[in-house]
Amino acid sequence: MNNPSNVTPARILFAGLISGFGSNAMLGLLFTSPPTQAVLFNPAWQSPRFIELASQRNVPLSVAGLVVLSVPLAWLFARLQTVMPGRTWRGRGAFWGLAIWLMYWLPQEWFVYHTLIGEPLALCGLELVLLLIGALLQGLIMAALLRAGPREAAT
């Protein structure tokens, strides 16, 4: 398949895994911090179903899945980066992080956490802020590792 950015499959794999691991490490720090835990698991505010299901989550399997699923995102970034908004790799990385957040995390919060599990919108909002931080970091790491080349020389 045509590769407009001339990025090798090995770089795509590496960028996907590293950006997935980096963003999930950040999300792990944010979501397990005592202030976040105190808010998200407060029974006066949180859905009982959320509290029940969160305690049953297989965290290693979830993280491994998200890291592996970052590889297709890196492949897409490598192919689309030359037409993305942003004059620098940082701009394109921030754009891609926002795109990841809009296409993945925002619908997940609505369809799974709010409508299915019954999490209150205010708590979904808190989670979305934390997820945006992780998604922006993922986009920036990906962009840094998959820079297109000639276009970067001018920045």
Side-chain angles (χ1 to χ4, degrees), residues 104-117:
Y104 181 74
W105 295 116
L106 184 62
Q108 176 180 280
E109 280 297 314
W110 176 256
F111 290 112
V112 176
Y113 288 94
H114 181 66
T115 64
L116 184 63
I117 297 175

Side-chain angles (χ1 to χ4, degrees), residues 9-144:
R11 267 182 71 197
I12 291 170
L13 177 65
F14 180 74
L17 295 176
I18 295 300
S19 67
F21 181 79
S23 66
N24 274 279
M26 174 60 78
L27 290 174
L29 290 172
L30 293 171
F31 276 94
T32 60
S33 73
T36 303
Q37 291 281 300
V39 171
L40 289 180
F41 289 92
N42 184 330
W45 302 334
Q46 187 56 271
S47 155
R49 203 170 329 163
F50 175 95
I51 293 171
E52 176 192 348
L53 292 173
S55 68
Q56 298 172 12
R57 180 176 176 214
N58 184 335
V59 175
L61 184 61
S62 294
V63 170
L66 288 170
V67 169
V68 170
L69 288 173
S70 296
V71 175
L73 293 174
W75 178 81
L76 284 170
F77 179 87
R79 268 123 192 96
L80 298 174
Q81 69 174 310
T82 58
V83 296
M84 279 182 194
R87 293 177 18 180
T88 66
W89 68 267
R90 287 175 191 86
R92 289 188 297 280
F95 169 81
W96 192 240
L98 180 61
I100 291 168
W101 184 80
L102 287 168
M103 291 185 296
Y104 181 74
W105 295 116
L106 184 62
Q108 176 180 280
E109 280 297 314
W110 176 256
F111 290 112
V112 176
Y113 288 94
H114 181 66
T115 64
L116 184 63
I117 297 175
E119 183 172 31
L121 284 174
L123 297 181
C124 287
L126 169 62
E127 290 180 1
L128 284 169
V129 169
L130 301 178
L131 292 165
L132 179 59
I133 293 168
L136 289 171
L137 180 62
Q138 183 174 22
L140 289 168
I141 292 170
M142 212 173 275

